[in-house]
Amino acid sequence: MGQSKTILHLSVAASAFLLLACSAETDGRLITDQAQYRAAVQNAQPGDTLTLANGEWVDFEILFTGRGEADNPIKLTAETPGQVVLTGQSNLRLAGEHLEVSGLVFKDGYTPTSEVISFRRNKDDLANNSRVSEVVIDNYNNPERYEVDSWVMMYGKNNRFDHNHLIGKRNKGVTMAVRLNTEASQENRHRIDHNYFGPRPILGSNGGETLRIGTSHFSRTDSYTVVENNYFDRADGELEIISNKSGQNAFKNNTFFESRGTLTMRHGNNNLVENNVFFGNDADHTGGIRVINAGQTIRNNYMEGLKGTRFGGALVVMNGVPNGPINRYDPVIDAEIINNSLINSDNIQLGAGSDEERSGVPENSTFEGNLIYNDDGRDVFTVYDDMSGIAFKDNVLGPQDLPDFTDGFRRQEMALGRLENGLMYPQTGVEAGISRDVTVTTPSMVGPAWYPKVDPNIAFGSGETHQVQPEEGAIFNALKKAAPGDILELSEGDYTVSKLLKIDVPLTIQGRGDVKLSFGRSALFQIEDGGSLQVIGLGVSGKDSPDNAGNSVIRTSPYSMLKNYRLEIIDTEITDLDVNHSFNVVSVAKGTFADDILIRNSKFKNVSGQVLKLNREDDDYGIYNAEYVTIENSEFENIGQELVSFYRGGTDESTFGPHFELHNSTLSNIGSDKRNKSKASLLLHGVQVTNITGNSFSDSKPFVINHTVGEPKTKITENNFTDVKPPQVRELNSILENTAFIEDNTGLNP
């Protein structure tokens, strides 16, 4: 909201008197511009309410200071909750005593500093005994994906952050954190409750935590922060959903819905994790609780349908570094893991991370009264080291066999049923697992009631269908009118595309009958920020493309993209990408990230470059260009360079991907171009999960697969090779064991 244009002709003395009178009566007074706000806050007294007028406030850096009283706080609020929108480069700083903020929305912009909401003015002027409630931060992101900022930073003491709505943190940086970097912010006794932490997409690097309490430098300092009754909805940023890095904190009655990663006791001692509920619904990499350090109590928690592995399992007890530095893993000592329920969850990891450095096994710990039930009866335990330091007692298993490393389990037949609180319990007579009186936090209990919780994902084909005829400019013109989820159905015929087709919403382009496209630009499609593309039933030729090196059929924006995208190529034939060298099917730019890339039932012939060029993040920072890449039931012939070049560098362990699958496809003459520096038909570097099954390879260069970090799983099975050398699977990190599984293949040349 801009400055008022009304000019009042007053004497200097009269103006001063009027300003003082208005400032003294701030309670209920409507503030309509930034100058008015600054005058009002300067003179606010205990019990006053500063009310911002409805509308957009552009580039408004709010400094809210004052000294309220326990029964008479100074309040900053909206004329109508949800109708005061902070846009552009706006933010909020609180400093003083007994301040309360409510009703504001941050949207369509990003903070000009490193924080959107900060409980301090500067390092010496903090907020204490203050509250931020019913505030929304919705996709308020720096446009540069790997530029770091945070949405909420809590400093000071005795502050509360409650009933807020945070959704769509896309750039690097923790969504919310509690800082302990000065004595004035330690032993703070903050409360974080009833907040909606909405979907946070996969970042594709470290730095995507949703909530962090402390930092490594102050990890042996106590915080006494309570995190309770929050709802974490698909908080997928990285391995650690919550990263606890301080002591004496409590995490109670929080719900984690289909969130990749774990509630992690990364640093700090004597923390409580109690009555939390994890619903994985069999989503990939959904995890539960990871236990590290001393004095942790993990009690009465519920984990169902969690599919995470390794550090992201349903329940993970780590090995630590004996007498290690403050930023490493401390050994688990005096842990109590009691009365938790793990239902249809895949992995309990004990001694995880065990290696030459992380040699400190758990000590003086208890694992008692836990219920572990899987319908399929499979063994869920992986034991990496000596677990004699954990006393296992009175734990109950369902149909699975008893583990062989302890006698602290008994097998008991049972039937489970779901009670009114939404959790599964066995019939009476089974005395183990979570109690029956737990109240599960649901979406209706969290966030402001006036702000809707909308699913951010728009499915392909969910919108309207638009018919397109084979006329000049028809596809380009149809794109300008398309809405998210729409389908452009191309009628049979030949289309010559003279303009770059920019895709800035999720869109399907589908052929009906025999549809052929040629294009006269260096690319046919360009996926812009916010766009995703599904192509079905097209025939694409590069024969009319310019005689340039480095053309592509589909490319991302050449600039960093904040939003993740999806790409699907289905029932499509792409040919004649050979007017010059390095003509790729798909090329991506640095700072872009695909959630999924799928090629299915498609054909590719005479391509001088690569089919998928996913190797632009080559700085070894642990960043990569795509999470899931799947190729199935497709044919590839005469591909000059690698079929796929997929790169994830560095040795950071904070991500789950990349993932690569190649199934039931035929590949002939792949990788023979002299410009193919890798001399490989397939180059996978740092990929965490690889599955190459049921394919036929002939007259091609070998695979090159480089293991660099984590516990990579590589399976190359039931393929047929003709005139192809064996795959080269290399361990480039000396601490890694070779986990490649190469079996039941035929025709490999030595």
Side-chain angles (χ1 to χ4, degrees):
M1 182 169 290
Q3 305 290 330
S4 173
K5 295 183 179 179
T6 303
I7 301 175
L8 300 179
H9 299 282
L10 300 171
S11 68
V12 174
S15 298
F17 174 79
L18 182 60
L19 179 60
L20 181 61
C22 290
S23 299
E25 296 177 1
T26 56
D27 190 25
R29 185 167 64 86
L30 195 63
I31 297 170
T32 58
D33 62 39
Q34 295 186 33
Q36 219 176 30
Y37 169 79
R38 287 190 290 270
V41 75
Q42 185 176 359
N43 295 280
Q45 300 299 314
D48 285 351
T49 298
L50 283 63
T51 304
L52 300 181
N54 291 346
E56 284 195 354
W57 293 70
V58 182
D59 299 339
F60 187 12
E61 295 187 59
I62 303 173
L63 177 59
F64 183 36
T65 61
R67 303 192 73 83
E69 298 170 349
D71 296 329
N72 287 293
I74 302 172
K75 298 181 180 181
L76 172 63
T77 191
E79 178 184 3
T80 304
Q83 294 188 32
V84 171
V85 180
L86 286 304
T87 69
Q89 295 192 48
S90 300
N91 60 14
L92 167 66
R93 289 177 291 159
L94 298 81
E97 298 283 341
H98 298 289
L99 306 174
E100 293 188 5
V101 180
S102 64
L104 310 181
V105 176
F106 288 87
K107 194 173 183 180
D108 298 328
Y110 62 98
T111 178
T113 59
S114 60
E115 300 158 356
V116 180
I117 298 176
S118 178
F119 282 73
R120 71 175 186 179
R121 179 178 187 171
N122 53 46
K123 65 179 182 179
D124 300 315
D125 192 4
L126 313 180
N128 299 297
N129 304 299
S130 295
R131 181 182 184 188
V132 173
S133 182
E134 295 197 351
V135 168
V136 173
I137 308 178
D138 186 345
N139 283 278
Y140 199 70
N141 296 296
N142 191 295
E144 175 53 52
R145 182 182 186 88
Y146 294 109
E147 183 67 28
V148 179
D149 61 37
S150 301
W151 278 4
V152 182
M153 282 286 177
M154 295 187 81
Y155 301 89
K157 295 186 178 181
N158 302 310
N159 295 313
R160 185 180 180 193
F161 187 81
D162 68 285
H163 293 89
N164 300 291
H165 184 119
L166 309 180
I167 185 171
K169 179 74 162 72
R170 297 178 182 276
N171 65 308
K172 191 172 183 177
V174 63
T175 303
M176 179 178 181
V178 173
R179 296 299 306 272
L180 283 70
N181 53 331
T182 66
E183 186 176 349
S185 294
Q186 296 167 7
E187 299 188 8
N188 53 68
R189 290 177 166 80
H190 294 321
R191 185 181 177 201
I192 301 169
D193 66 286
H194 294 90
N195 300 291
Y196 177 67
F197 292 97
R200 175 164 189 175
I202 300 168
L203 180 63
S205 80
N206 189 11
E209 307 100 318
T210 293
L211 177 62
R212 189 183 70 230
I213 313 296
T215 57
S216 297
H217 189 71
F218 295 95
S219 59
R220 290 172 186 160
T221 302
D222 291 335
S223 182
Y224 291 99
T225 294
V226 175
V227 179
E228 61 183 349
N229 297 107
N230 301 285
Y231 194 89
F232 295 83
D233 182 1
R234 289 163 286 175
D236 293 345
E238 61 144 271
L239 173 63
E240 297 180 3
I241 305 166
I242 295 179
S243 182
N244 181 84
K245 294 187 174 183
S246 54
Q248 297 286 358
N249 300 311
F251 302 88
K252 303 186 296 184
N253 293 98
N254 303 287
T255 297
F256 299 81
F257 177 79
E258 295 184 8
S259 293
R260 293 163 55 108
T262 61
L263 193 172
T264 302
M265 301 290 100
R266 181 64 181 87
H267 294 303
N269 302 323
N270 304 310
N271 297 286
L272 172 65
V273 181
E274 181 176 43
N275 295 350
N276 300 284
V277 172
F278 299 79
F279 290 124
N281 292 333
D282 295 342
D284 204 11
H285 298 300
T286 47
I289 301 167
R290 186 155 64 114
V291 185
I292 314 165
N293 311 302
Q296 316 290 31
T297 299
I298 314 298
R299 182 172 63 208
N300 213 49
N301 300 282
Y302 181 89
M303 294 83 104
E304 181 184 351
L306 304 180
K307 297 299 175 183
T309 61
R310 198 172 174 263
F311 291 2
L315 180 61
V316 182
V317 179
M318 294 285 296
N319 263 23
V321 180
N323 302 311
I326 197 167
N327 67 332
R328 299 301 291 146
Y329 291 84
D330 284 347
V332 173
I333 302 172
D334 297 325
E336 294 186 357
I337 303 172
I338 301 172
N339 292 119
N340 303 285
S341 292
L342 293 99
I343 310 299
N344 290 322
S345 294
D346 282 2
N347 287 286
I348 297 176
Q349 309 269 301
L350 302 176
S354 175
D355 58 26
E356 185 175 344
E357 181 195 27
R358 290 183 293 223
S359 60
V361 297
E363 299 177 19
N364 198 35
S365 296
T366 301
F367 192 102
E368 180 177 349
N370 300 288
L371 172 66
I372 301 164
Y373 179 94
N374 276 50
D375 288 333
D376 59 8
R378 75 183 195 83
D379 182 13
V380 299
F381 288 96
T382 304
V383 180
Y384 294 89
D385 213 322
D386 176 18
M387 290 296 108
S388 61
I390 301 178
F392 294 89
K393 181 180 178 183
D394 295 332
N395 300 288
V396 175
L397 297 176
Q400 58 260 52
D401 293 335
L402 296 175
D404 59 8
F405 62 91
T406 177
D407 59 0
F409 291 82
R410 70 177 185 274
R411 185 176 179 182
Q412 187 169 347
E413 291 188 7
M414 66 185 78
L416 272 61
R418 200 172 296 278
L419 299 190
E420 289 185 3
N421 65 359
L423 308 185
M424 297 284 286
Y425 292 90
Q427 77 279 10
T428 57
V430 178
E431 297 181 359
I434 193 170
S435 65
R436 294 174 181 260
D437 59 356
V438 170
T439 299
V440 177
T441 299
T442 63
S444 64
M445 300 176 183
V446 300
W450 42 263
Y451 202 82
K453 299 175 179 68
V454 179
D455 194 321
N457 298 319
I458 299 172
F460 287 127
S462 58
E464 298 181 357
T465 299
H466 307 274
Q467 302 296 327
V468 181
Q469 300 300 319
E471 300 168 355
E472 184 178 353
I475 302 176
F476 183 85
N477 293 330
L479 278 178
K480 293 190 292 185
K481 302 175 183 178
D486 281 0
I487 301 170
L488 302 188
E489 188 172 86
L490 309 188
S491 297
E492 185 168 334
D494 295 343
Y495 294 75
T496 300
V497 180
S498 59
K499 297 179 180 180
L500 181 64
L501 302 178
K502 295 186 177 182
I503 311 297
D504 59 6
V505 296
L507 193 68
T508 297
I509 299 180
Q510 181 172 349
R512 185 180 63 184
D514 186 11
V515 174
K516 290 183 167 46
L517 280 72
S518 61
F519 55 103
R521 297 291 303 274
S522 58
L524 175 59
F525 298 109
Q526 180 167 298
I527 299 175
E528 300 283 305
D529 205 7
S532 288
L533 177 62
Q534 181 186 55
V535 296
I536 304 175
L538 304 182
V540 178
S541 171
K543 62 183 176 61
D544 295 329
S545 299
D547 186 7
N548 297 331
N551 291 343
S552 54
V553 177
I554 302 168
R555 72 186 185 201
T556 64
S557 167
Y559 309 108
S560 175
M561 288 168 51
L562 189 60
K563 296 181 179 179
N564 298 0
Y565 68 94
R566 291 163 289 141
L567 172 63
E568 296 184 359
I569 302 173
I570 301 171
D571 296 326
T572 290
E573 185 171 353
I574 297 177
T575 60
D576 301 325
L577 307 188
D578 54 5
V579 295
N580 206 314
H581 72 81
S582 305
F583 197 149
N584 304 306
V585 178
V586 177
S587 297
V588 304
K590 194 176 183 65
T592 65
F593 188 82
D595 283 330
D596 298 278
I597 296 177
L598 170 67
I599 296 175
R600 176 186 294 153
N601 299 334
S602 295
K603 297 181 180 181
F604 302 81
K605 185 176 181 179
N606 299 334
V607 177
S608 65
Q610 303 168 8
V611 174
L612 296 177
K613 185 176 179 60
L614 305 172
N615 59 359
R616 297 304 301 274
E617 299 291 355
D618 57 359
D619 299 318
D620 290 344
Y621 294 155
I623 300 172
Y624 50 105
N625 285 118
E627 186 69 16
Y628 294 93
V629 174
T630 303
I631 301 173
E632 56 189 22
N633 301 316
S634 295
E635 299 177 16
F636 303 88
E637 183 179 354
N638 299 335
I639 311 298
Q641 299 182 35
E642 303 97 333
L643 178 76
V644 179
S645 180
F646 203 174
Y647 192 94
R648 192 273 196 200
T651 57
D652 180 82
E653 297 177 292
S654 298
T655 60
F656 296 109
H659 306 72
F660 177 78
E661 299 204 12
L662 175 61
H663 302 304
N664 303 319
S665 296
T666 301
L667 298 88
S668 175
N669 190 24
I670 312 297
S672 60
D673 190 280
K674 63 181 180 181
R675 295 178 178 84
N676 182 7
K677 296 180 181 179
S678 71
K679 307 300 182 185
S681 60
L682 179 69
L683 177 61
L684 305 179
H685 182 99
V687 174
Q688 290 295 291
V689 180
T690 300
N691 191 352
I692 302 173
T693 305
N695 305 284
S696 176
F697 302 90
S698 63
D699 191 25
S700 297
K701 298 296 183 180
F703 306 162
V704 175
I705 300 174
N706 297 325
H707 290 167
T708 61
V709 66
E711 294 178 4
K713 296 177 173 60
T714 295
K715 292 175 61 177
I716 304 173
T717 60
E718 300 179 6
N719 302 285
N720 181 64
F721 294 88
T722 303
D723 294 328
V724 179
K725 292 182 178 180
Q728 300 176 23
V729 181
R730 304 184 295 197
E731 310 302 323
L732 300 189
N733 188 330
S734 61
I735 68 172
L736 295 180
E737 296 182 3
N738 192 320
T739 55
F741 182 74
I742 304 176
E743 189 172 284
D744 297 330
N745 301 286
T746 60
L748 283 174
N749 291 331

